[in-house]
């Protein structure tokens, strides 16, 4: 069995924790909210055994990595810059980058901003969404109200305290709420004077892909870090819109793959065609996993690994 090793590297003035395995062409696995390197444990081993050097960082603000002060330290430019710096520290020229959830935004933007460093890009859950004509937060407030979870996350300290109160409960309820095993669609709208976890059901039993030991690991990884760093990514959404103005209308110019579960709640937030071949002209596939929810690589590791290896094998 391939072992996963851990170490720290310095990138762009901060310390990042990375998990790594294998040798060969570099593949970066980039997590979303509220996750860490552990979300990629199945892919780290499978891709390494197939002949790849696989590295999964805790991104800035998360788990064992540094948590810079100030919301302004979490823009998409910082996040993409961290990935470019990581490629440098690892002694490589290029990498394939795979993202999930917020990690998709990092992956797609890495391919958009630095195609010279990215051999291919894979998005799990979130497609590449071209820059909108106006900032998204005012539109969300108008259409979905102050209770919509992304708007709720904007209030400093509020979600931070709620989610950190009992990290194990947070992970149990959040992971279950948005997975394909939950028979109910969860409206991600926080009730008045309530919190996000109030709309996330308590599972009668854990789904087969999530164990008590997994919850222990997630809770331990966030025991010191809390959730503020990850929430600050959401608080940079309008900043990101301003910063990416020079790339308005620019396509993703590297080979790409998109994988999503048909019960992923994010599908309600994206266009019906999910991903535009005009915006991603070198798209090599759209894979929809029946019965899969938001936590793609956790819920369906074998199918995700097969899709990733199939895509990787097409790259020169």
């Amino acid at each position: 069995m391939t072992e996963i090793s851990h170490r720290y590297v310095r990138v762009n003035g901060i310390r990042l924790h990375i998990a790594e395995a294998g040798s060969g062409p570099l593949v970066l696995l980039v997590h979303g909210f509220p996750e860490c390197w552990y979300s990629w444990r199945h892919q780290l081993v499978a891709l390494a055994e197939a002949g790849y050097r696989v590295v999964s960082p805790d991104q800035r603000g998360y788990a064992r990595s540094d948590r810079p002060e100030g919301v302004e330290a979490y823009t998409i430019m910082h996040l993409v810059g961290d990935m470019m710096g990581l490629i440098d520290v690892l002694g490589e020229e290029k990498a394939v980058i795979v993202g999930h959830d917020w990690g998709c935004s990092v992956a797609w933007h890495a391919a958009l901003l630095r195609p010279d460093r990215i051999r291919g890009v894979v998005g799990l859950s979130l497609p590449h969404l071209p820059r909108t004509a106006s900032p998204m937060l005012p539109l969300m407030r108008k259409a979905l109200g102050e209770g919509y979870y992304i708007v709720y996350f904007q209030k400093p300290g509020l979600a931070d305290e709620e989610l950190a109160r009992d990290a194990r409960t947070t992970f149990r309820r959040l992971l279950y709420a948005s997975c394909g095993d939950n028979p109910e669609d969860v409206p991600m709208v926080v009730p008045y004077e309530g919190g996000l976890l109030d709309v996330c059901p308590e599972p009668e039993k854990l789904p087969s892909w999530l164990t008590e030991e997994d919850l222990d690991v997630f809770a331990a990884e966030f025991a010191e870090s809390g959730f503020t760093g990850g929430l600050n990514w959401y608080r940079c959404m309008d900043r990101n819109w301003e910063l990416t103005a020079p790339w308005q209308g620019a396509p993703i110019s590297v080979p790409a793959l998109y994988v999503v579960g048909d019960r992923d709640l994010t599908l309600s937030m994206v266009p019906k065609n999910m991903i535009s071949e005009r915006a991603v002209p070198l798209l090599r596939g759209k894979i929809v996993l029946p019965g899969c929810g938001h936590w793609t690589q956790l819920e369906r590791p074998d199918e995700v690994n097969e899709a990733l290896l199939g895509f990787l094998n097409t790259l020169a």
Side-chain angles (χ1 to χ4, degrees), residues 196-220:
L196 178 62
L197 298 183
D198 292 334
V199 300
C200 296
E202 183 69 64
E204 292 184 7
K205 66 176 184 177
L206 294 178
S208 61
W209 52 270
L210 182 66
T211 68
E212 297 289 349
E213 291 74 20
D214 293 334
L215 291 175
D216 289 340
V217 172
F218 278 120

Side-chain angles (χ1 to χ4, degrees), residues 49-279:
E49 291 182 347
Y52 293 93
R53 182 185 188 186
V54 195
V55 176
S56 179
D58 289 340
Q59 297 199 78
R60 66 167 60 205
Y62 283 89
R64 305 185 210 178
S65 289
D66 281 353
R67 303 178 297 280
E69 293 289 333
V71 172
E72 66 279 359
Y74 295 88
T75 72
I76 196 64
M77 297 303 180
H78 290 87
L79 304 177
V80 170
D82 288 347
M83 296 304 101
M84 298 304 106
L86 181 55
I87 294 172
D88 289 338
V89 166
L90 295 172
E92 304 285 353
E93 292 294 325
K94 295 186 176 186
V96 175
I97 188 166
V98 182
H100 171 255
D101 185 80
W102 256 108
C104 284
S105 184
V106 177
W108 292 119
H109 278 90
L112 178 68
L113 304 180
R114 293 301 308 268
D116 57 315
R117 308 297 305 274
I118 301 298
R119 296 176 53 232
V121 57
V122 183
L124 306 181
S125 177
L126 287 175
H128 170 57
L129 298 174
R131 184 174 180 271
T132 54
S134 59
M136 286 298 297
L137 279 173
L139 299 177
M140 289 180 180
R141 280 193 166 93
K142 182 176 181 180
L144 301 167
E146 290 294 324
Y148 186 57
Y149 80 102
I150 292 177
V151 179
Y152 169 70
F153 284 172
Q154 303 303 311
K155 302 167 186 174
L158 194 59
D160 316 50
E161 190 279 330
E162 180 200 359
L163 299 180
R165 197 176 302 143
D166 183 339
R168 201 172 191 282
T169 295
T170 293
F171 280 103
R172 183 175 65 251
R173 296 180 75 163
L174 278 182
L175 291 175
Y176 178 71
S178 301
C179 80
D181 296 83
N182 178 12
E184 304 294 330
D185 289 335
V186 177
M188 300 296 279
V189 178
V190 176
Y192 179 68
E193 293 189 345
L196 178 62
L197 298 183
D198 292 334
V199 300
C200 296
E202 183 69 64
E204 292 184 7
K205 66 176 184 177
L206 294 178
S208 61
W209 52 270
L210 182 66
T211 68
E212 297 289 349
E213 291 74 20
D214 293 334
L215 291 175
D216 289 340
V217 172
F218 278 120
E221 293 286 349
F222 281 75
E224 181 178 348
S225 69
F227 295 84
T228 298
L231 290 167
N232 282 340
W233 292 32
Y234 288 92
R235 295 163 184 162
C236 280
M237 288 176 66
D238 284 354
R239 284 184 178 87
N240 292 341
W241 183 83
E242 294 176 358
L243 291 169
T244 55
W247 291 271
Q248 178 80 31
I252 299 288
S253 60
V254 303
L257 175 69
Y258 176 51
V259 183
V260 66
D262 68 357
R263 297 208 60 231
D264 192 327
L265 295 176
T266 61
L267 288 179
S268 64
M269 298 186 286
V270 302
K272 289 187 185 276
N273 65 355
M274 293 187 291
I275 188 166
S276 165
E277 294 185 12
R278 179 179 178 182

Side-chain angles (χ1 to χ4, degrees), residues 31 33-43 100 124 171 175-176 179-181 207-211 214-215 218 289 292-305:
H31 68 78
F33 181 88
E35 300 177 86
C36 63
W37 73 270
Y38 188 69
S39 291
W40 297 105
R41 58 195 180 278
H42 306 300
Q43 290 68 44
H100 171 255
L124 306 181
F171 280 103
L175 291 175
Y176 178 71
C179 80
D181 296 83
S208 61
W209 52 270
L210 182 66
T211 68
D214 293 334
L215 291 175
F218 278 120
L289 302 175
C292 181
H294 181 62
W295 314 104
T296 327
Q297 75 273 31
L298 292 174
E299 295 182 51
R300 299 294 177 80
D302 293 342
E303 291 165 85
V304 167
N305 292 345

